[in-house]
Amino acid sequence: MNLAKRSLYNLSMMVISANFLLAAPKLYLYLLPFDNINNEQAIACLGSGFTDMLTKEMTPLEGLFLRNRDDLENIMNNRGLLLKQPRDSRNILALGKYTRKMDEISIDMQFIDIANWEELDKREVIGSYNNIPQLNNELADVVKTCLLYTSDA
């Protein structure tokens, strides 16, 4: 290899190494459809609706990477993929379940670190079936607060 090619090769390797070493930690949020605890058909669409709404709300957040059920299954089948992420990255599974009593919707959220299955936080949101947009806003605020809290842990 001549001197010019070797210098270019060395420079390329240094840039790649620097990018790898300086890669910022990332926060991966695994969002799954919410569970309808009572299997009530009238509100079954809310399970995927809450997930879709959170996806829309969380997508613009810098440093947050949203994942779905398929991504979670890939990580669970090949835990070595966690080692390929930037150092100090976090992988958080958001589990949600909801029930309805009359016009009241109760949503329970649980946040789990999938690296060690430790429960990081647990929250409840209660709102009106007649005001789903407000319920969605409250749910998004809870998730953002929990992510802020867990990313500092």
Side-chain angles (χ1 to χ4, degrees), residues 10-27:
N10 288 340
L11 179 62
S12 297
M13 292 307 293
M14 287 179 10
V15 168
I16 290 170
S17 298
N19 283 339
F20 180 78
L21 293 174
L22 298 177
K26 297 186 177 19
L27 181 59

Side-chain angles (χ1 to χ4, degrees), residues 23-84:
K26 297 186 177 19
L27 181 59
Y28 298 94
L29 178 64
Y30 296 81
L31 285 174
L32 307 179
F34 286 43
D35 289 330
N36 180 355
I37 298 301
N38 297 334
N39 290 324
E40 190 176 339
Q41 291 303 315
I43 60 170
C45 63
L46 292 178
S48 60
F50 290 136
T51 303
D52 293 343
M53 181 279 311
L54 283 174
T55 299
K56 182 180 176 188
E57 285 287 322
M58 301 295 149
T59 297
L61 298 179
E62 189 172 329
L64 178 65
F65 298 89
L66 298 177
R67 300 293 186 244
N68 59 29
R69 182 183 305 273
D70 292 337
D71 298 318
L72 179 62
E73 288 177 7
N74 285 339
I75 286 283
M76 298 318 312
N77 290 328
N78 185 1
R79 304 283 287 171
L81 293 173
L82 293 172
L83 299 174
K84 295 181 181 179

Side-chain angles (χ1 to χ4, degrees), residues 4 10 12 42 63 66 81 83 96-97 103 126 129 136 149:
N10 288 340
S12 297
L66 298 177
L81 293 173
L83 299 174
K97 58 186 178 181
D103 285 339
I126 298 174
Y129 180 69
N136 283 340
Y149 166 74

Side-chain angles (χ1 to χ4, degrees), residues 118-135:
E118 176 185 344
E119 180 180 77
L120 301 172
D121 203 350
K122 196 173 193 176
R123 303 282 174 111
E124 181 180 28
V125 177
I126 298 174
S128 172
Y129 180 69
N130 296 319
N131 195 354
I132 296 295
Q134 178 64 31
L135 184 60

Side-chain angles (χ1 to χ4, degrees), residues 79 82 89 91 112-118:
R79 304 283 287 171
L82 293 172
S89 291
N91 290 270
I112 299 169
D113 185 337
I114 65 170
N116 57 14
W117 294 109
E118 176 185 344

